[in-house]
Amino acid sequence: MRALFSRLTKRRTKHALPPEDFAQCCHEQTSNLLRLARRLTRGNEDPAQDLVQDTLIRAFEAYLRDGYDDRGNLRAYLMRILTNRFLSQRRQDRWDAGVDIDTLPLALSGSSEDLLLVGVLDEPLERALADLPDGLRAAILLVDIEGLEYSEAALALGIPLGTVRSRLFRARQMLHQTLLPCAIAKRWMPVKEELS
């Protein structure tokens, strides 16, 4: 990756930030991007790393084409690229398969890594997040997990602010419905006794 950046930095741009500094700033966001990519890909390490690498390359290419505004939020910008790449790949996968893979049971549509993750990972929240539709999962990950502001998430997803709020509301309701029985069973929240 560094070899690619070093070759590409030979070009002149109109940015106040030198290419080497931009590359370093991008590199500093790698762990945040990888965490988001892992969650979006449901824990599949190879696709997550490929997604991050593709994101960094696209960001640097945009920087060299003067498509990046130095005054912008780099973290939100990179997460937008990553999220858009993920959603584009998912749409392409659906088109290639000829079916909507979100409607198939995980055991039928998932890869061996998905099946291993389900078999090993007994974390209710991670499973509940993985079960959310892509658009809802992306919104909840960006805002509630990665801590982006609603407006930053809207930019990252390329959708209006109201749509982000709507997706967050639906995602939170779905998570609540999914996790409430688990929370009651594990006695994380008190059970209201019925009055006779």
Side-chain angles (χ1 to χ4, degrees):
M1 181 67 81
R2 288 193 189 273
L4 174 67
F5 283 145
S6 66
R7 278 196 323 252
L8 292 174
T9 57
K10 305 280 189 252
R11 293 184 51 191
R12 289 256 187 233
T13 64
K14 66 177 182 176
H15 297 285
L17 189 65
E20 300 81 16
D21 292 346
F22 181 79
Q24 180 59 36
C25 290
C26 288
H27 181 70
E28 291 170 3
Q29 293 297 322
T30 302
S31 62
N32 292 329
L33 293 172
L34 194 53
R35 183 176 55 242
L36 175 61
R38 284 180 184 137
R39 285 203 162 114
L40 287 172
T41 61
R42 294 183 170 112
N44 293 324
E45 188 66 24
D46 288 339
Q49 287 185 8
D50 290 346
L51 195 55
V52 169
Q53 182 176 5
D54 188 34
T55 298
L56 294 174
I57 290 170
R58 286 177 181 270
F60 203 74
E61 288 172 344
Y63 170 85
L64 292 175
R65 286 190 319 268
D66 297 326
Y68 172 71
D69 183 0
D70 291 339
R71 300 172 305 230
N73 181 336
L74 179 62
R75 181 174 179 230
Y77 177 72
L78 291 172
M79 288 186 175
R80 176 182 186 172
I81 294 171
L82 187 137
T83 305
N84 286 342
R85 289 300 305 147
F86 170 75
L87 294 174
S88 294
Q89 288 172 358
R90 291 287 291 189
R91 280 191 291 275
Q92 183 66 35
D93 291 346
R94 282 190 200 119
W95 185 81
D96 288 344
V99 295
D100 184 0
I101 57 178
D102 284 335
T103 62
L104 295 175
L106 182 61
L108 295 176
S109 67
S111 65
S112 59
E113 292 93 4
D114 286 338
L115 297 174
L116 180 63
L117 180 65
V118 169
V120 173
L121 185 64
D122 191 25
E123 179 63 40
L125 178 58
E126 289 294 334
R127 282 185 290 159
L129 282 170
D131 289 343
L132 290 174
D134 292 336
L136 300 182
R137 187 171 69 248
I140 204 99
L141 288 173
L142 289 173
V143 173
D144 290 343
I145 307 295
E146 294 300 326
L148 293 182
E149 299 290 327
Y150 285 23
S151 58
E152 293 173 329
L155 284 174
L157 294 170
I159 58 177
L161 182 62
T163 305
V164 170
R165 289 185 174 136
S166 173
R167 287 182 182 181
L168 286 170
F169 177 77
R170 290 193 324 245
R172 288 171 180 158
Q173 279 199 319
M174 291 174 75
L175 288 172
H176 176 77
Q177 291 172 350
T178 302
L179 296 172
L180 183 62
C182 177
I184 291 171
K186 294 189 181 219
R187 300 182 191 264
W188 291 338
M189 38 184 319
V191 179
K192 294 180 183 177
E193 294 187 27
E194 294 184 31
L195 298 176
S196 305

